[in-house]
Amino acid sequence: MALAANDAADRVEQLTILTERLTELTAQQALAFEQRRPKDAAALLDEISRLANLYRHESTRVRADISLVEDAPAPARAKLVRATEAFDAVLARQGRALEAARTVTEGLVKCIAEEVAAQRSQTSVYGAGGLQTDGSSATAITLNKRA
């Protein structure tokens, strides 16, 4: 059963609104990461997750059955394409912001772990025989290349 043209137009309009809102929120989150405000970014996470799941579901439906949108007016479809392109650009920006935040976080963890290890290795420990040892025993922090 084919959808009426106004159903396709409505679906395209709703997809455009969803895409634009998701783009707006993702841009706000990327900006928060860029400005080193992770709490502000986290505050947007629930709504972004909800909208992203809806977007994924709807875009999968449209890809599987293009007739859901093909009867919509060309200007409306073009607006959806532009909104999708803007969303892709914001996702790339967010990816860069998240990568920068991850790099900074890993650097901080590494610096802290190295400082803890340096502090621990400076201490003197008395061994079982009453002699001082260098204190190089296993520590609670394991440092590797990734946080």
Side-chain angles (χ1 to χ4, degrees), residues 65-83:
D65 184 5
I66 196 69
S67 70
L68 294 171
V69 295
E70 70 185 353
D71 289 337
R77 290 193 324 260
K79 184 177 180 184
L80 178 58
V81 168
R82 287 190 305 276

Side-chain angles (χ1 to χ4, degrees), residues 29-78:
Q29 189 178 54
L31 180 63
F33 278 119
E34 291 164 354
Q35 295 178 344
R36 295 171 182 83
R37 295 181 293 118
K39 285 185 179 182
D40 293 346
L44 299 169
L45 190 58
D46 288 340
E47 187 174 1
I48 288 174
S49 295
R50 184 181 62 79
L51 293 177
N53 283 331
L54 182 57
Y55 179 85
R56 179 189 51 80
H57 175 73
E58 290 302 318
S59 61
T60 299
R61 284 182 60 200
V62 169
R63 270 194 298 275
D65 184 5
I66 196 69
S67 70
L68 294 171
V69 295
E70 70 185 353
D71 289 337
R77 290 193 324 260

Side-chain angles (χ1 to χ4, degrees), residues 94-133:
Q94 184 190 41
R96 290 187 301 272
L98 287 172
E99 179 62 22
R102 183 189 63 80
T103 300
V104 168
T105 301
E106 286 180 359
L108 288 172
V109 168
K110 183 178 178 192
C111 287
I112 291 168
E114 287 172 351
E115 182 61 26
V116 168
Q119 293 294 323
R120 286 186 178 174
S121 67
Q122 293 175 1
T123 61
S124 298
V125 177
Y126 287 94
L131 301 173
Q132 273 190 331
T133 63

